[in-house]
Amino acid sequence: MWVNKLLYSAILLLLTPVLSLYFLLRSRKDPAYRARMTERFALQQVPAAAVGGIVVHAVSVGEVVAATPLIKALQQQYPQLTLTITCTTPTGSARIVSTFADSVYHCYLPLDTPGAVQRFLHKLQPQAVIVLETELWPNLLQQCRRALIPTIVVNARLSARSARGYRRYYAFSRLALDNISVLLAQDSATARRFKALGCKAQLSVCGNLKYDMAVPAHTNSLVAQFRPQLSGRKVWVAGSTHAGEDELLISAYQQLSAEFPDLLLILVPRHPERFDAVAQLLSDTGLNKLRRSEQRAVTAATQVLLADSMGELLAWYQLADVVFIGGSLIERGGHNPLEAMLFAKPLQTGPHVFNFAQAYQWLEQAGAVNWVSDCAGLVSSTAQLLRQPQQAAEQGAKALALYQRHGGACARMSRLICDYLGADSGHFRIRQAGSIVQWYDAQVFQQPDELSFNAAHWQQQQAVIGQSRGRNIAWFIRHNGMALVMRHYYRGGLIGKLVKDNFSYQRVLASRAMQEFNLLRYMRRCGLPVPQPLAAQYVRRGLGYRADIMIALIAGSQDLATILTAGTALSLSQWQQVGAVIARFHQQGVYHSDLNCHNILLDSADQIWLIDFDKCAVRAPGNWMQQNLARLQRSLQKEQALHPGFSWQQQDWQALLQGYNQQFTG
């Protein structure tokens, strides 16, 4: 696996100059491609308000439009957090800015090189990264998993053809698939395909976000501007067309114009770089064309309006009498029919629709789609719909009813996201000041001056309720009605005698405190019995750093070593429960580097907890699981040798193993 990771990253690094050149070449036609190049490498400054929020990535305009209801739902759910919305295209960027203005932080998603991704995550320190559809970038997903940042793929769509591609290049595709936390699929076929590819994420089928589309205000303004100009005319809109389709559509229009002289064709090429080529094609035919970019009114003499603009497709669909969905007469797989369905328009499509197979299957079953395969088919279908407006209206009504029937994906997705992230996410905050970074729960530490990792501060507040004097001191504190444990990180072993608490430099996300904080959050999302993390601190100090953490105190609890040393015996069923709890951690891949009888607690209700996750991690299944058990057994044997009254016997260990194995076998 590591060879594939190295090879992928090496290829990306080698391609970086090529990609930079690509942006520059694209900028000859669209200057926006050379703007904000620092964001492509995560070299920009990030506003403090965006740190500690949630990242939502939508590659371009279509995904931004689809994501808009979900983003707004997340803003309502987390009003105190600033969402970061990323994309990769200037048109997507323009839509984000026009839709959300300064209510979000917006930037481009950086190139998927290790350094750029690391800088991006280090600067934003996000609580979660949400990705639309199949923008699965291996380095981004791997580094999120390493930092224990949840990655959630929403509106996931995977056709049979794409699944074959994933399988063909499985050595590379698994670099992404193995690192997804939650995948919310559009349909059950997509969920099955991801599962067949070995995706281990939590899978749910939620429907398609695009059935919950919100029409932007500027769309309605554009419709109001053009509707008077088109009064009395029939309008045929061909959306998202590709090379090989425009020629057929223009030829079909020329034949149709004999019967329908007032027919206006609005031609909307999919890609901006083709605008000039399509304009030349129209000039060569002698048709009276108008380019949208000319900012002139449509007149009675205009035969074709070339929509050489971006982000206005919804307006053209709203003005249409008949809509053709492009990318379907060629083997492109078709484009999204949902925008036209929203406006109750009769639809035409070519035979190649595998990108949206489910939607077209439903349209076919409802009798709400017209199939065409060539110029003759375009002429026949369009003429019939124009001659029989009642039939066209009925088809459009069926399409709209289908659209409305499949709505609700946004509500389902936002609920699942919020349930997965947990209630803590809404009041998680990050404060940065100079060399100090603090993560904290704003419900516990409501004012900035309340948070301190200095024991003297809490002693002055008379908030200290106890302390543990093991190898390192842990302070027990009561604050705002909550009992918590404050622990400073110390070095162990021989080096700890020389350098007490200064660790070699790591970025914030890789520091001991933040790793343990995020690991605790991960385990709580998995439903594992661990303390709630409340605050963590990272202090940069020369070439190193110091760290602290605060967690909730487990009320009425004692560690296993203390209980057994006092001569209190656990029943065999309790030992089985201990084994089952350890197995639950192992099932979630949690490696406890110091699993011993001091780090297993029993509370007053006999619930079992695990604590002290410093230097622990999430791992794939392996020998470490048995090594964890062996370490626990050695700690019990050691305590038994030190304390004659230590209440533990071999049959207790057998009961623990029985509970452990039963958890794995169900």
Side-chain angles (χ1 to χ4, degrees), residues 73-107:
L74 291 173
Q75 286 180 313
Q76 290 181 349
Q77 183 67 33
Y78 302 114
Q80 302 304 317
L81 296 182
T82 297
L83 271 59
T84 294
I85 314 301
T86 65
C87 65
T88 58
T89 67
T91 51
S93 176
R95 174 54 65 90
I96 292 168
V97 171
S98 65
T99 303
F100 298 102
D102 58 359
S103 69
V104 302
Y105 169 59
H106 161 59
C107 64

Side-chain angles (χ1 to χ4, degrees), residues 302-320:
T302 304
Q303 295 175 292
V304 181
L305 172 61
L306 175 58
D308 56 348
S309 53
M310 299 300 295
E312 297 180 347
L313 186 60
L314 289 178
W316 307 133
Y317 281 165
Q318 198 168 343
L319 291 164

Side-chain angles (χ1 to χ4, degrees), residues 169-486:
Y169 300 104
Y170 187 64
F172 293 103
S173 61
R174 69 175 298 192
L175 298 178
L177 296 175
D178 287 353
N179 294 292
I180 300 170
S181 306
V182 177
L183 190 140
L184 307 180
Q186 292 185 14
D187 51 59
S188 56
T190 286
R192 285 196 305 271
R193 288 171 189 139
F194 272 109
K195 193 170 184 178
L197 287 166
C199 180
K200 299 178 181 64
Q202 294 184 22
L203 286 167
S204 296
V205 176
C206 293
N208 193 336
L209 272 177
K210 294 182 179 180
Y211 284 104
D212 294 331
M213 196 181 315
V215 180
H218 77 271
T219 294
N220 295 326
S221 299
L222 192 63
V223 169
Q225 174 188 340
F226 274 87
R227 194 179 293 281
Q229 301 175 29
L230 308 183
S231 178
R233 299 190 64 173
K234 299 292 186 183
V235 179
W236 183 27
V237 174
S240 298
T241 62
H242 291 253
E245 293 182 314
D246 300 297
E247 295 85 350
L248 295 175
L249 288 157
I250 292 169
S251 177
Y253 173 80
Q254 290 175 309
Q255 296 176 53
L256 288 163
S257 60
E259 181 179 352
F260 305 98
D262 64 341
L263 179 63
L264 174 70
L265 171 62
I266 301 181
L267 196 54
V268 192
R270 176 70 175 181
H271 298 116
E273 58 268 27
R274 295 190 57 251
F275 289 161
D276 290 341
V278 177
Q280 185 59 51
L281 189 63
L282 288 166
S283 296
D284 292 343
T285 62
L287 291 171
N288 189 324
K289 73 173 190 305
L290 173 67
R291 297 184 66 155
R292 163 74 175 128
S293 57
E294 295 173 3
Q295 297 293 321
R296 292 189 291 111
V298 175
T299 67
T302 304
Q303 295 175 292
V304 181
L305 172 61
L306 175 58
D308 56 348
S309 53
M310 299 300 295
E312 297 180 347
L313 186 60
L314 289 178
W316 307 133
Y317 281 165
Q318 198 168 343
L319 291 164
D321 292 291
V322 179
V323 170
F324 169 78
I325 309 294
S328 58
L329 289 172
I330 59 171
E331 292 190 17
R332 172 64 176 74
H335 289 295
N336 180 13
L338 304 182
E339 293 99 332
M341 293 167 64
L342 170 62
F343 297 117
K345 302 300 177 180
L347 301 176
Q348 300 169 310
T349 182
H352 305 289
V353 294
F354 52 80
N355 285 337
F356 296 90
Q358 181 69 78
Y360 281 106
Q361 182 181 345
W362 288 334
L363 286 165
E364 171 73 15
Q365 292 169 351
V369 64
N370 300 276
W371 300 95
V372 298
S373 58
D374 52 25
C375 181
L378 282 167
V379 172
S380 174
S381 169
T382 308
Q384 182 178 0
L385 291 168
L386 293 176
R387 290 188 199 117
Q388 301 180 30
Q390 184 61 36
Q391 176 190 342
E394 289 173 0
Q395 281 194 6
K398 291 176 182 177
L400 175 59
L402 184 63
Y403 180 94
Q404 293 171 334
R405 190 182 314 142
H406 290 280
C410 177
R412 288 188 287 272
M413 289 181 188
S414 61
R415 184 179 66 251
L416 286 170
I417 290 169
C418 295
D419 287 348
Y420 179 76
L421 294 181
D424 298 349
S425 296
H427 37 85
F428 173 78
R429 300 288 183 274
I430 294 180
R431 185 165 65 212
Q432 300 184 119
S435 61
I436 301 174
V437 179
Q438 294 177 333
W439 293 5
Y440 65 99
D441 186 321
Q443 281 195 334
V444 178
F445 304 99
Q446 299 170 2
Q447 301 298 326
D449 60 351
E450 290 185 7
L451 178 58
S452 173
F453 291 88
N454 187 334
H457 165 84
W458 297 108
Q459 289 171 328
Q460 290 172 2
Q461 300 292 321
Q462 297 184 339
V464 175
I465 56 176
Q467 63 186 74
S468 169
R469 288 191 177 274
R471 186 179 66 182
N472 302 312
I473 296 176
W475 296 88
F476 303 129
I477 297 164
R478 184 167 298 281
H479 176 68
N480 281 343
M482 174 173 279
L484 54 90
V485 182
M486 182 176 72

